[in-house]
Amino acid sequence: MDIQEDKTTGSIQIAKVNSESANINGEIWAKSFFVSQSLGVHPWKTLDAQAISLQDLRSLPITDYELLLLGTGASHKPLDMSATQFLLDLGIAYEVMATMPACRTFNVVSSESRKTLLAVLF
């Protein structure tokens, strides 16, 4: 699915995403990654490619952001109770959704200059 590029703000743009990869500023990412406007794109070493665990969340720099978007692959997969409680305890707004809508949402909220971190699984 192609995503219309927003050329108004933000240096990181996700131009295309499907169930296997994302095109971020012309570079193809086919493995799990996290991205923000301030950090750029980085590999995200998740323990289980099918689920996001508490340990996976702890490996992210989430305390620096006002919003955490989690893409769980081709379909929405809920977080386990310990991961959910961890995010609630930190008081960080978060949204869990399939990877494609998570990438679209990242483009929108980033263009609003919100401090957003996107972490996705493929």
Side-chain angles (χ1 to χ4, degrees):
M1 162 183 273
D2 290 337
I3 300 174
Q4 178 135 357
E5 184 176 0
D6 175 5
K7 297 181 182 184
T8 57
T9 61
S11 59
I12 304 287
Q13 290 288 318
I14 302 173
K16 188 173 188 175
V17 64
N18 58 42
S19 62
E20 298 173 357
S21 67
N23 180 324
I24 304 173
N25 289 8
E27 186 176 349
I28 304 299
W29 285 79
K31 302 240 181 195
S32 300
F33 65 87
F34 65 92
V35 60
S36 75
Q37 292 297 335
S38 60
L39 289 177
V41 189
H42 297 275
W44 184 28
K45 297 188 189 306
T46 57
L47 297 178
D48 178 357
Q50 301 302 310
I52 298 171
S53 71
L54 173 59
Q55 190 169 358
D56 295 327
L57 292 177
R58 285 187 171 150
S59 72
L60 295 170
I62 56 180
T63 57
D64 297 334
Y65 297 91
E66 64 182 81
L67 176 62
L68 172 63
L69 298 172
L70 297 166
T72 60
S75 62
H76 173 267
K77 296 175 190 89
L79 298 178
D80 68 34
M81 185 61 83
S82 63
T84 300
Q85 190 60 53
F86 174 72
L87 293 173
L88 291 172
D89 290 346
L90 286 176
I92 294 172
Y94 70 95
E95 190 72 38
V96 181
M97 58 189 89
T99 292
M100 290 193 316
C103 289
R104 289 191 302 268
T105 302
F106 174 79
N107 280 349
V108 171
V109 295
S110 289
S111 72
E112 297 169 350
S113 299
R114 293 184 62 193
K115 289 181 67 174
T116 305
L117 180 68
L118 168 66
V120 301
L121 300 176
F122 285 107

